[in-house]
Amino acid sequence: MAYPFQLPELGYAHDALEPHIDARTMEIHHGKHHAGYTAKLNAALEGHGSLHGFSAEKLLRAIHSLPAEIRGAVRDNGGGFHNHALFWDILTPGGSDAPTGKLAAAIDATFGSFGTFKEKFQGTAAGQFGSGWGWLCVDAMGGLSCFGTANQDSPLMTGFTPILGVDVWEHAYYLSYQNRRPEYLAAFWNVVNWDRVASRYEAAAGGWLTA
Ligand code: MN3
């Protein structure tokens, strides 16, 4: 997808992730917040025809090479566009408890166990000060890395490919959880689509996978 970017479909109903993520939050988050990032990304790119053929991923990977006058807007709104598209994609009602296959093996090899990984991911997301995201990413050599970013900063801007992300802006959880971010993060695991995360892992790790 390239300019003009369009708000991606959710792929499930607003209330499909209840009780873990409530319908009203999903309506506002997708229909207002994500739509807003999409519109502002398009507005930033409108007068820059030479960039209209590029995907959001490519624009974010090339952030330091973009014209200075739109770099901030693409960082914020391109990041917001791409981060949320990933987020909806890796959520599903009735997700499985844990990954299988190559991703499961890589998580065990990197973090020691799936349980240890969950603790690290959840701790990273809980500890992200202010608004931001918690991520599991593939690095440039196919390895796994877990870290947070502030605001809408995308891991793509620093050479990482995000495969699992959790939005920790208050707009993502405040209606149901208020200030109880750890409860939201604990509930998040119930709606992760591990098949999609695994697909993203295998696509990103690509040639580095030997198994
Ligand atoms: Mn959000």
Side-chain angles (χ1 to χ4, degrees):
M1 192 198 293
Y3 177 93
F5 292 94
Q6 293 186 335
L7 181 66
E9 298 282 335
L10 276 183
Y12 39 81
H14 288 128
D15 63 0
L17 305 179
E18 290 203 356
H20 310 294
I21 303 178
D22 69 272
R24 184 71 177 134
T25 293
M26 291 298 292
E27 273 177 43
I28 299 168
H29 201 175
H30 179 253
K32 302 293 183 188
H33 291 276
H34 196 186
Y37 296 122
T38 306
K40 288 176 184 169
L41 174 61
N42 286 330
L45 293 170
E46 186 178 1
H48 295 266
S50 65
L51 300 175
H52 287 182
F54 295 121
S55 67
E57 177 171 337
K58 188 152 190 173
L59 291 168
L60 289 162
R61 287 190 190 279
I63 192 76
H64 301 293
S65 303
L66 298 184
E69 66 270 22
I70 63 165
R71 205 174 293 151
V74 174
R75 176 180 179 168
D76 293 343
N77 298 296
F81 173 81
H82 190 268
N83 292 343
H84 288 87
L86 180 146
F87 191 45
W88 314 135
D89 182 59
I90 58 89
L91 295 175
T92 187
S96 57
D97 290 340
T100 55
K102 291 173 181 170
L103 174 59
I107 286 174
D108 287 347
T110 305
F111 300 100
S113 70
F114 182 61
T116 309
F117 158 71
K118 281 175 74 177
E119 284 176 22
K120 174 155 174 72
F121 182 91
Q122 208 168 316
T124 299
Q128 175 64 41
F129 183 75
S131 296
W133 291 76
W135 299 107
L136 175 66
C137 294
V138 176
D139 69 25
M141 295 183 73
L144 289 175
S145 188
C146 179
F147 56 89
T149 61
N151 304 314
Q152 294 296 350
D153 285 357
S154 169
L156 294 166
M157 299 193 304
T158 47
F160 293 87
T161 302
I163 61 172
L164 173 69
V166 64
D167 189 340
V168 295
W169 285 57
E170 285 187 341
H171 67 228
Y173 61 87
Y174 203 86
L175 293 181
S176 286
Y177 298 95
Q178 293 83 48
N179 64 323
R180 304 187 305 278
R181 188 191 285 185
E183 282 184 32
Y184 158 69
L185 292 170
F188 165 74
W189 298 115
N190 293 304
V191 290
V192 173
N193 187 339
W194 285 110
D195 291 341
R196 289 297 303 141
V197 182
S199 299
R200 287 174 175 273
Y201 170 68
E202 293 187 25
W208 297 96
L209 284 174
T210 53

